[in-house]
């Protein structure tokens, strides 16, 4: 067995009440004129949580799904006009993605404060959308210098976002287990992460204030993000990037629906990984992940998100263009069939 392990730099602060360290962390980044980046829905929560951070001199509340480049340009104007020297991202993948896009263009340091389980904060990966097409890049310039995890910030996360962002995180770890550049370190992290999230998500849906379950989910999300940032992804992520960029479907929910089907397609080519996942999930992994989607009350089919049946062919063609590496060869009819099942909300084959 041979492999290459390339560890990414990371400074993680994890624990209840750690939001109180924000001002200190901005100072450690050299920040004196920081921009706070959020979505419209989280703007008030961010301002309240970070009220004591005097270095914050401007706010941009327009982060949105899939990081459209025109939104990045709007935020960049604010960065220039306010002489911003550091970035604070408060929120989920949309917010953190925008801060990354700004860092790519300005080389400003970032403090990421995740409030969902997206995991983007631990990766040097940026996905951007322009003219309906989503592309991704990998560059250490977009990796946040500091990441702060405070479970208290996740207690108000709505149940639907909690569940789907958690399964989105699981998708990172699942694909990391059979990545072309995978290694034993990432496999260990992925196994722990998947187990933590699969155990934690259903109880959180029943009781959103279950703090021990929230802590397990947040740790799992951190580890899933670490896996995503360290190794490459495959068919599942290509499909979700295609669906998100072309049809503007909600990111985490799309991942939740597609994951069981993409994994079922690949399982014949990855028997060792399948056996590991079967042990962790206590059953056929594709079926158990489909059941997890039902346990968190997520939509079962892409048509529930507004995707038209006619889009199945379009997405199939796009998924085969500039395809990601995948452990099983990409066969058009097989890919089309899995997209069709995901569209209809059927169980994975």
């Amino acid at each position: 067995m041979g492999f290459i392990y390339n560890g990414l730099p990371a400074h993680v602060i994890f624990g209840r009440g750690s939001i109180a360290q924000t001002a200190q962390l901005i100072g450690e980044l050299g920040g004196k004129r920081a921009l706070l980046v959020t979505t419209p829905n989280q703007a008030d929560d961010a301002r309240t949580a970070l009220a004591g951070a005097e270095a914050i001199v401007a706010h941009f509340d327009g982060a949105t799904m899939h990081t459209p480049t025109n939104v990045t340009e709007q935020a960049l104007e604010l960065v220039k006009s306010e002489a911003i020297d550091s970035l604070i991202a408060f929120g989920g993948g949309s917010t953190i993605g925008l801060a990354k896009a700004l860092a790519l263009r300005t080389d400003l340091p970032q403090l990421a404060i995740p409030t969902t389980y997206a995991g983007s904060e631990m990766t040097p990966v940026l996905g951007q959308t322009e003219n309906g097409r989503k592309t991704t890049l990998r560059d250490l310039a977009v990796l946040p210098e500091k990441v702060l995890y405070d479970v208290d910030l996740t207690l108000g996360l709505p149940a639907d976002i909690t569940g789907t962002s958690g399964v989105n995180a699981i998708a990172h770890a699942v694909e990391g287990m059979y990545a072309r550049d995978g290694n034993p370190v990432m496999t260990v992290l992925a196994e722990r992460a998947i187990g933590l999230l699969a155990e934690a998500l259903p109880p959180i849906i029943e009781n959103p204030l279950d703090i021990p379950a929230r802590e397990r989910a947040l740790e799992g999300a951190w580890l899933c993000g670490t896996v995503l940032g360290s190794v490459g992804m495959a068919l599942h992520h290509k499909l979700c990037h295609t669906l998100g960029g072309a049809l503007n479907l909600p990111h985490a929910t799309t991942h939740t629906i597609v994951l069981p089907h993409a994994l079922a397609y690949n399982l014949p080519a990855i028997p060792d990984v399948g056996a590991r996942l079967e042990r962790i999930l206590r059953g056929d992994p594709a079926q158990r992940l489909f059941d997890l989607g039902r346990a968190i009350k997520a939509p079962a089919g892409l048509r529930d998100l507004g995707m038209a049946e006619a889009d199945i062919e379009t997405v199939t063609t796009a998924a085969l263009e500039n395809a990601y590496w995948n452990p099983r060869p990409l066969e058009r009819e097989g890919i089309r069939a899995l997209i069709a099942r995901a569209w209809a909300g059927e169980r994975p084959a």
Side-chain angles (χ1 to χ4, degrees), residues 17-29:
S18 56
I19 192 67
Q21 301 180 45
T22 301
Q24 173 188 335
L25 295 173
I26 298 171
E28 291 175 2
L29 292 174

Side-chain angles (χ1 to χ4, degrees), residues 15-308:
R16 292 193 73 186
S18 56
I19 192 67
Q21 301 180 45
T22 301
Q24 173 188 335
L25 295 173
I26 298 171
E28 291 175 2
L29 292 174
K32 297 179 180 179
R33 297 187 60 81
L35 173 67
L36 174 59
V37 179
T38 66
T39 61
N41 290 338
Q42 291 195 293
D44 291 341
D45 290 342
R47 286 174 169 81
T48 299
L50 301 176
E54 296 180 357
I56 297 174
V57 299
H59 306 83
F60 185 85
D61 305 334
T64 190
M65 289 191 305
H66 308 303
T67 318
T69 54
N70 64 306
V71 174
T72 301
E73 292 303 319
Q74 294 171 22
L76 190 60
E77 290 300 316
L78 186 58
V79 167
K80 295 175 179 177
S81 65
E82 295 293 332
I84 297 300
D85 62 9
S86 50
L87 304 167
I88 305 170
F90 183 103
S94 298
T95 298
I96 292 166
L98 175 56
K100 285 179 167 184
L102 293 173
L104 180 68
R105 291 159 173 79
T106 63
D107 201 31
L108 293 176
Q110 303 171 73
L111 166 62
I113 305 176
T115 61
T116 72
Y117 307 133
S120 176
E121 65 281 353
M122 295 304 300
T123 80
V125 178
L126 171 63
Q128 303 179 97
T129 303
E130 186 171 14
N131 298 324
R133 185 176 182 86
K134 187 169 185 177
T135 58
T136 61
L137 60 86
R138 178 178 288 264
D139 192 320
L140 281 176
V142 308
L143 181 68
E145 282 76 7
K146 296 180 184 292
V147 181
L148 186 154
Y149 291 102
D150 188 333
V151 70
D152 289 343
L153 301 178
T154 68
L155 297 181
L157 192 63
D160 58 339
I161 300 176
T162 292
T164 56
S165 70
V167 179
N168 178 23
I170 289 174
H172 307 330
V174 167
E175 288 224 303
M177 289 180 69
Y178 53 76
R180 177 170 50 177
D181 53 353
N183 60 73
V185 176
M186 290 304 112
T187 297
V188 170
L189 294 186
E191 289 182 352
R192 176 167 176 80
I194 294 166
L196 284 168
L197 280 159
E199 175 190 2
L201 291 176
I204 293 173
I205 301 304
E206 297 303 319
N207 176 16
L209 298 181
D210 185 335
I211 291 174
R214 287 277 187 188
E215 288 178 326
R216 292 194 296 275
L218 196 58
E219 179 187 344
W222 162 34
L223 298 179
C224 287
T226 301
V227 174
L228 175 66
S230 301
V231 298
M233 297 289 109
L235 172 63
H236 168 78
H237 280 76
K238 174 62 176 182
L239 288 172
C240 292
H241 290 160
T242 300
L243 288 160
L247 305 179
N248 199 36
L249 300 186
H251 180 82
T253 311
T254 300
H255 276 267
T256 300
I257 294 171
V258 171
L259 177 60
H261 301 279
L263 178 59
Y265 180 88
N266 277 328
L267 279 174
I270 49 170
D272 292 347
V273 172
R276 289 174 180 269
L277 288 171
E278 186 170 350
R279 174 179 54 79
I280 297 166
L281 296 171
R282 301 174 185 175
D284 178 279
Q287 303 299 329
R288 294 293 291 150
L289 288 170
F290 183 86
D291 292 338
L292 180 60
R294 310 292 69 74
I296 63 171
K297 301 179 173 62
L302 295 170
R303 63 180 176 182
D304 300 321
L305 307 184
M307 177 179 169

